[in-house]
């Protein structure tokens, strides 16, 4: 294991760790969105999906713990890399291009930390039931044992909650659109011909994922989803 931690401490090891954990987190966000889109199909679809996940039992816990570990490693590595960057460059840059690169990575740390705030709030809201216990109580009130539809639709009926979720999707968009490009660069996809295509692809993927989430957040407000009473 010590070779792994030695590799993690190197600059390239840190970047590779960011790329691999970033890819896994991106996979989670896409899968989570695909599952959550069933909200648009009505109560039966999303509630059956929630039940199916819950029926995985111990496997669900293994996935949750794995996700948590990946998330923590991603955040800790990002903080380490940004500190190492700062220590390596105490005097300001002379070149404009490097200043731009630093701005981008600095905004990644900022958007990443904002996403951390979002995930903590989101877990307190839908997983632990701390922020809106009334909505959370609906989660297990359905006939089949689950009424995620009631919990989510009643939450997003509150314009403040809906807007907060939608606003965080803007941050997710910024983080993903730069993160996907960085991933490509780290794994060596860097070419005069392909780089513009990768930039466009990163922009579109980030737009679809964050846009999909924002659509769900605003679904009740725009009349796409009815509130369960
Ligand atoms: C509007 C969009 C979203 C909706 C409707 C939504 C809905 C939900 C719901 C209902 C749960 C609770 C699952 C359960 O415990 O049964 C959940 C958990 C979770 N969500 Fe989201 N989510 C959204 C966006 C996001 C985003 C953008 C992220 C990450 C950046 C995220 C990360 C998580 C995580 C980490 C969990 C905990 C997973 C678990 O406990 O199994 N969600 N979400």
């Amino acid at each position: 294991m010590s070779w792994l931690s030695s590799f993690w401490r190197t600059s390239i090891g840190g970047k590779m760790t960011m790329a691999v954990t970033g890819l896994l987190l991106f996979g989670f966000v896409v899968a989570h969105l695909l599952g959550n889109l069933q909200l648009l199909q009505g109560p039966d679809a999303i509630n059956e999906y929630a039940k199916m996940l819950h029926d995985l039992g111990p496997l669900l816990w293994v996935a949750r713990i794995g996700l948590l570990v990946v998330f923590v490693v991603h955040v800790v590595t990002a903080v380490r890399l940004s500190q190492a960057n700062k220590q390596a460059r105490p005097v300001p840059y002379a070149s404009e291009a490097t200043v731009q690169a630093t701005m981008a990575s600095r905004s990644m740390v900022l958007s990443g930390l904002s996403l951390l705030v979002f995930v903590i709030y989101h877990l307190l809201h839908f997983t632990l039931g701390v922020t809106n216990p009334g909505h959370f109580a609906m989660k297990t009130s359905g006939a089949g044992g689950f009424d995620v539809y009631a919990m989510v639709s009643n939450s997003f009926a509150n314009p403040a909650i809906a807007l907060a979720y939608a606003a965080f999707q803007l941050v997710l968009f910024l983080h993903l659109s730069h993160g996907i490009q960085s991933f490509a660069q780290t794994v060596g996809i860097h070419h005069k011909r392909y780089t513009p295509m990768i930039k466009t692809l990163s922009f579109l993927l980030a737009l679809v994922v964050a846009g999909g989430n924002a659509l769900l957040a605003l679904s009740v407000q725009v009349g796409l989803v009815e509130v369960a009473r």
Side-chain angles (χ1 to χ4, degrees):
M1 277 317 254
S2 80
W3 67 267
L4 198 63
S5 85
S6 306
F7 178 63
W8 178 76
R9 272 168 228 286
T10 64
S11 170
I12 185 65
K15 282 184 181 158
M16 283 303 251
T17 306
M18 290 308 285
V20 173
T21 51
L23 182 68
L24 291 170
L25 291 171
F26 181 68
F28 165 76
V29 175
V30 171
H32 194 47
L33 171 63
L34 291 177
N36 288 338
L37 280 172
Q38 297 184 56
L39 184 72
L40 304 177
Q41 284 181 281
D44 291 348
I46 187 119
N47 290 342
E48 267 162 35
Y49 168 69
K51 186 171 178 331
M52 185 271 289
L53 279 184
H54 193 258
D55 287 348
L56 292 174
L59 220 62
L60 178 65
W61 278 103
V62 171
R64 278 175 162 168
I65 292 165
L67 182 65
L68 183 68
V69 169
V70 169
F71 192 72
V72 169
V73 171
H74 194 75
V75 174
V76 170
T77 311
V79 171
R80 184 183 70 73
L81 283 177
S82 96
Q83 276 172 351
N85 264 354
K86 262 190 226 151
Q87 278 164 9
R89 202 76 187 91
V91 277
Y93 287 108
S95 140
E96 194 53 32
T98 335
V99 172
Q100 273 176 16
T102 312
M103 280 294 286
S105 45
R106 218 176 266 154
S107 76
M108 282 303 274
V109 174
L110 204 67
S111 58
L113 291 177
S114 312
L115 282 177
L116 180 62
V117 171
F118 166 74
V119 172
I120 292 171
Y121 163 65
H122 185 50
L123 292 179
L124 291 174
H125 182 201
F126 283 154
T127 302
L128 301 169
V130 174
T131 59
N132 298 80
H135 297 158
F136 186 70
M138 296 173 190
K139 187 174 175 180
T140 44
S141 64
F146 283 97
D147 204 349
V148 170
Y149 182 88
M151 173 179 75
V152 175
S153 63
N154 277 279
S155 288
F156 291 157
N158 178 331
I161 297 180
L163 279 177
Y165 267 79
F168 272 116
Q169 301 317 308
L170 203 65
V171 181
L172 181 66
F173 166 77
L174 291 175
H175 196 77
L176 289 183
S177 60
H178 183 77
I180 298 166
Q181 285 176 48
S182 296
F183 171 86
Q185 204 163 20
T186 302
V187 299
I189 312 171
H190 191 60
H191 188 278
K192 238 198 265 166
R193 215 159 86 210
Y194 303 127
T195 301
M197 275 196 274
I198 288 168
K199 279 191 176 166
T200 310
L201 188 70
S202 307
F203 178 87
L204 291 176
L205 282 174
L207 192 68
V208 169
V209 172
N213 278 323
L215 181 74
L216 291 177
L218 299 172
S219 58
V220 175
Q221 303 296 326
V222 299
L224 272 175
V225 164
E226 250 178 63
V227 183
R229 300 280 166 205

